């Protein structure tokens, strides 16, 4: 074959002699259909495997239902919580002995420990006990060491046992937790907050509006339900917030907040907070209602967690009501100082604004600097001092006045606390 025409004609002649068997085309089509079917099955199986892998991965990295916090059953009138960490039996015996001798409340019976350990942040011992006093009442007590007496245990507070069904965290906030009983720490960062959360909580956060700082404890530590946090001496239970979190045991799972509450209380010698509800407003004054016979008097400060609301100017003991001048009212005045830098001055409400006056001409006040007012119910100008506001702008050089922005939300008040002196 010398050219392509001859080649094409030869191939055509050969093809004419090939006769396909009967049904050949159908067999070819059926074979093709079977192969396509096997490919579809294989593709579907691969897709199913991919979906299963993705679902597993989603579960591993933390997707799934929100974790729930299950309350342990109560132990009679007591919290049915397991102790935190290893309980030091010697500390339990020492604390029980101190408890028995204090206020002649002993002997205490059926004592059980929630905490009995040395805590590195406090650099001292921390003990929390439950038990019956000699009257048969269920009680709960906090103990810490006395740094001036070889860390001997001192009872800091003795309270009625909390509701074992509703309680999720117990706490104590005070500047009187490191020295002799009732003595204020001489450290400007001497207020401690101790918080113990119920089993199941994997991290506890304690924050205070007395300082622009917060911390979340390591969720996997052996004592992650217990936290001891140090704050400036101005911090109080009323300005402290405690939050509990759950972290599922899955890689990359995030923390879920399960509760957030205010600190419970302080110790003997700390000012006492009387809860009050806002029932009326008249211009730059509010009317609040409180339980009768709570020791509310003129001149006492009304506060919320964020800071100072105002001052009590009138009390109706029969009705259990008080009139409070807001910090921006024209009737409000008082002595203040800046936090940390301690620049002195006075404040005055103008009817809508708050001004700090009498500042030394060379005193430096910068925008957002925190300004504090001493609490007359405390025994010190520093202990429990309340944040009244922040500088709205830098004080100009040589001037003696700067405007403040109140830290409390004065327009949306519903509840507050009135600070009263500690009961004698």
């Amino acid at each position: 074959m010398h050219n392509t025409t001859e080649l094409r004609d030869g191939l055509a002649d050969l093809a004419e002699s090939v006769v396909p068997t009967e049904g050949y085309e159908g067999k070819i089509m059926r074979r093709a259909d079977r192969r396509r079917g096997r490919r579809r099955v294989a593709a579907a199986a691969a897709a199913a495997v991919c979906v299963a892998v993705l679902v597993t991965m989603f579960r591993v990295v933390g997707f799934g239902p929100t974790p729930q916090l299950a309350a342990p059953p109560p132990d009679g009138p007591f919290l049915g919580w397991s102790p935190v960490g290893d309980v030091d039996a010697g500390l339990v015996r020492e604390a029980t002995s101190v408890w028995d001798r204090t206020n002649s409340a002993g002997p205490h019976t059926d004592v059980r420990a929630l905490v009995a350990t040395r805590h590195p942040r406090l650099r001292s011992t921390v003990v929390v006990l439950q038990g019956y006093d000699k009257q048969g009442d269920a009680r709960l007590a906090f103990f810490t060491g006395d740094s001036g007496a070889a860390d001997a245990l001192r009872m800091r507070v003795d309270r009625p046992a909390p509701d074992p069904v509703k309680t999720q965290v117990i706490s104590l906030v005070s500047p009187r937790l490191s020295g002799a009983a009732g003595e204020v720490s001489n450290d400007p960062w001497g207020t401690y907050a101790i918080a113990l959360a119920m089993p199941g909580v994997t991290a506890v956060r304690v924050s205070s509006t007395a300082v622009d700082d917060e911390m979340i404890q390591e969720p996997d530590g052996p004592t992650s339900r217990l936290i001891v946090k140090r704050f400036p001496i101005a911090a109080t239970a009323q300005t402290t917030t405690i939050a509990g979190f759950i972290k599922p045991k899955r890689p990359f799972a995030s923390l879920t907040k399960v509760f957030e509450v205010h600190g419970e209380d302080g110790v003997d010698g700390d000012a006492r907070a009387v809860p009050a509800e806002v029932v009326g407003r008249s211009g730059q004054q509010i009317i609040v209602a409180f339980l009768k016979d709570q020791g509310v008097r003129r001149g006492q400060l009304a506060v919320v967690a964020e800071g100072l609301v105002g001052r009590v100017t009138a009390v109706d003991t029969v009705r259990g009501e008080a009139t409070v001048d807001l910090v921006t009212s024209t009737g409000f005045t008082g002595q203040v100082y800046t936090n940390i830098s301690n620049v002195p001055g006075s404040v005055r409400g103008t009817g809508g604004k708050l001004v700090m006056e009498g500042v030394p001409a060379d005193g430096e006040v910068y925008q957002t600097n925190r300004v504090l007012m001493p609490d007359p119910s405390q025994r010190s100008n520093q202990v429990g001092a309340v944040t009244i506001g922040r500088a709205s702008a830098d004080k100009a050089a040589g001037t003696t006045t700067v405007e403040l922005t109140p830290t409390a939300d004065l327009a949306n008040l519903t509840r507050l606390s009135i600070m009263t002196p500690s009961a004698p």
Side-chain angles (χ1 to χ4, degrees), residues 281-303:
R281 180 184 288 264
S282 175
Q284 289 293 302
Q285 292 182 326
I286 57 173
I287 309 298
V288 299
F290 54 89
L291 293 177
K292 298 178 182 179
D293 302 323
Q294 294 296 303
V296 174
R297 302 286 185 270
R298 293 185 61 223
Q300 294 169 349
L301 300 185
V303 306

Side-chain angles (χ1 to χ4, degrees), residues 373-405:
M373 174 173 282
D375 182 352
S377 294
Q378 301 279 5
R379 303 175 185 177
S380 161
N381 284 345
Q382 286 74 44
V383 174
V386 186
T387 302
I388 186 172
R390 294 180 182 272
S392 302
D394 295 351
K395 183 182 79 68
T399 63
T400 61
T401 302
V402 62
E403 184 178 325
L404 305 181
T405 301

Side-chain angles (χ1 to χ4, degrees), residues 186-347:
N186 56 11
D187 184 343
W189 279 73
T191 288
Y192 286 91
I194 301 174
L196 173 65
M198 64 184 289
V201 173
T202 53
V204 182
R205 181 182 67 198
V206 180
S207 58
S208 173
T209 57
V211 61
D212 304 318
D213 172 62
E214 65 181 22
M215 177 193 72
I216 295 180
Q217 181 153 331
E218 285 297 326
D220 299 320
T223 58
S224 57
R225 290 166 45 211
L226 171 68
I227 186 170
V228 177
K229 184 70 184 286
R230 197 177 183 203
F231 289 121
I233 204 77
T236 62
Q238 290 68 48
T239 60
T240 299
T241 302
I242 302 166
F245 299 81
I246 293 177
K247 181 181 180 182
K249 292 184 178 180
R250 298 190 297 264
F252 310 111
S254 59
L255 291 170
T256 299
K257 185 188 294 184
V258 288
F259 67 78
E260 186 170 48
V261 297
H262 291 303
E264 287 183 83
D265 211 345
V267 304
D268 291 344
D270 292 334
R272 186 174 58 92
V274 175
E277 182 178 355
V278 177
V279 295
R281 180 184 288 264
S282 175
Q284 289 293 302
Q285 292 182 326
I286 57 173
I287 309 298
V288 299
F290 54 89
L291 293 177
K292 298 178 182 179
D293 302 323
Q294 294 296 303
V296 174
R297 302 286 185 270
R298 293 185 61 223
Q300 294 169 349
L301 300 185
V303 306
V304 291
E306 294 73 22
L308 185 60
V309 169
R311 182 186 290 113
V312 175
T313 55
V315 179
D316 186 335
T317 57
V318 176
R319 295 172 60 89
E321 293 183 350
T323 301
V324 176
D325 275 0
L326 299 176
V327 295
T328 53
S329 69
T330 55
F332 188 90
T333 60
Q335 297 299 308
V336 295
Y337 60 90
T338 59
N339 188 39
I340 302 177
S341 56
N342 199 31
V343 176
S346 61
V347 290

